Amino acid sequence: MMKVDSKTVDGYMDLAQQSLDESEGPNRAYWINRLEEEHVNLQKVFDWLIEQGDAERSLRLAYLLQELWFEEHHTSEARDLLAKLLAMPNSSVQPAIRAQSLDLAGAFALAQDDFAKARSLTGRAVEICRGLEDKSMLGSRLVHLGHIERYAGNYEAAQIVYQEALQIFQTLDHPWWLAVIMGNLASTAVVAGDFSRADPLVKECLQRHRELDAEWELAQMVGTAAGVAAGFGQHERAICLAGASAAHRERIGVSLPPIQSERFEQMIVSARQALDESTQARLWDEGLSMTLDQAVNYALE
């Protein structure tokens, strides 16, 4: 039986930090598997930290393990764990750590379509961040609040929140976040049916993420480009791009929460309805065979 002490916790903190650092790289699957193998031991570490009344380290470790918790079979567990940790006496917890934990809890609620709870949790995180000097932290929490409004179908509210975040990151001149927010503005325009607005945003976002060599974001944005193509009635193009997006998300090793998978499928539903199954299968296979660079070039045409 594993003995847990402060040194053990430090070791698992290091493991969790490395897994998070590697989460968007080519070795993501390896690190997620490592965390899965350590899952039972991680539960013991959290039990020990809770017994010690160590709210801050508990919340820090939970945050570092976010990629494990976002795996669908762990999300309910993560919600229960964070609720327990956030309810601990926490007068000594740094406001920034509490804010990021509330925000993460909101993301897990969103992953299970609990929009009201997600809005409450992430909204509290945003209010804490408004009182901090870290504008980047405020901007990122606003982006997450925009996600909640978008998935809840409140597109105008989502646009407003994303725009506030965009202004913050324009001031900070942060290339990665600027690209991410443009991608979310594009996705919001697609689901709202404003394809003429979405099209240039998608193209600019693809260019920005290519310059940043951000493979996961490129794979996602190719999927958004599929939604634009479907909206313009380019059904064959839409299915091909959707297949390419799915292939590279799987290659990178990131599983989407059901709410995101459903939204990607909704973007191309008109193309699904317009083409017979054999044509869809052929086009999907064409997308699967594309390299990510080929898929991005196709999306930019």
Side-chain angles (χ1 to χ4, degrees):
M1 180 179 295
M2 184 184 75
K3 178 184 176 181
V4 182
D5 55 23
S6 187
K7 186 176 180 180
T8 308
V9 174
D10 289 341
Y12 278 98
M13 285 282 193
D14 290 342
L15 173 65
Q17 181 68 67
Q18 189 165 6
S19 70
L20 184 59
D21 291 343
E22 298 280 352
S23 64
E24 294 188 8
N27 297 319
R28 174 188 170 82
Y30 167 79
W31 286 101
I32 293 297
N33 288 335
R34 278 288 307 277
L35 295 180
E36 290 283 5
E37 291 168 1
E38 295 288 351
H39 182 245
V40 172
N41 289 333
L42 285 165
Q43 290 176 318
K44 294 176 182 177
V45 170
F46 279 113
D47 289 342
W48 185 85
L49 286 167
I50 292 169
E51 288 174 6
Q52 301 298 311
D54 195 338
E56 180 155 325
R57 281 213 292 177
S58 298
L59 291 170
R60 283 175 52 212
L61 180 58
Y63 184 81
L64 292 174
L65 291 168
Q66 60 185 270
E67 294 301 321
L68 175 67
W69 303 138
F70 274 119
E71 295 294 315
E72 185 180 351
H73 57 289
H74 286 306
T75 304
S76 292
E77 173 193 356
R79 291 189 71 181
D80 292 342
L81 174 64
L82 272 173
K84 183 184 296 185
L85 300 183
L86 286 164
M88 292 174 67
N90 54 37
S91 59
S92 62
V93 175
Q94 297 176 51
I97 291 176
R98 182 163 181 79
Q100 69 182 18
S101 300
L102 285 164
D103 182 38
L104 185 60
F108 294 141
L110 175 61
Q112 295 188 328
D113 291 357
D114 191 348
F115 301 117
K117 189 67 173 179
R119 187 180 292 110
S120 172
L121 289 163
T122 296
R124 286 160 60 194
V126 167
E127 290 311 306
I128 291 173
C129 290
R130 290 193 189 282
L132 303 178
E133 293 183 2
D134 189 342
K135 296 305 179 185
S136 178
M137 190 172 187
L138 172 60
S140 62
R141 267 68 225 176
L142 285 166
V143 171
H144 298 163
L145 186 58
H147 294 347
I148 294 166
E149 298 298 356
R150 172 159 60 98
Y151 286 119
N154 302 322
Y155 305 131
E156 185 175 350
Q159 295 274 9
I160 291 170
V161 177
Y162 284 142
Q163 288 291 349
E164 183 181 354
L166 185 66
Q167 290 172 3
I168 289 172
F169 285 112
Q170 284 172 333
T171 301
L172 297 174
D173 192 23
H174 197 304
W176 187 84
W177 271 112
L178 289 172
V180 167
I181 296 168
M182 286 181 183
N184 284 298
L185 285 167
S187 297
T188 304
V190 171
V191 295
D194 192 350
F195 304 110
S196 295
R197 184 167 189 269
D199 188 39
L201 284 169
V202 168
K203 288 183 169 64
E204 181 173 357
C205 190
L206 284 167
Q207 295 281 20
R208 285 175 177 265
H209 281 313
R210 175 179 267 174
E211 291 170 3
L212 295 166
D213 197 25
E215 288 194 357
W216 167 236
E217 287 77 13
L218 282 170
Q220 282 193 303
M221 196 48 48
V222 168
T224 306
V228 174
F232 284 140
Q234 301 166 354
H235 303 307
E236 294 192 356
R237 176 182 174 82
I239 298 298
C240 188
L241 285 169
S245 176
H248 289 289
R249 293 199 308 269
E250 182 176 353
R251 174 183 61 80
I252 294 166
V254 181
S255 62
L256 292 176
I259 190 170
Q260 289 191 35
S261 298
E262 291 167 10
R263 294 306 191 275
F264 270 116
E265 186 60 28
Q266 287 172 6
M267 285 184 183
I268 61 167
V269 66
S270 61
R272 294 279 195 204
Q273 294 170 346
L275 301 171
D276 61 65
E277 290 186 5
S278 62
T279 301
Q280 288 184 52
R282 174 180 58 80
L283 293 165
W284 190 270
D285 286 344
E286 287 181 14
L288 295 181
S289 69
M290 287 182 173
T291 66
L292 183 55
D293 199 49
Q294 288 172 334
V296 170
N297 286 336
Y298 187 43
L300 286 169
E301 288 177 4

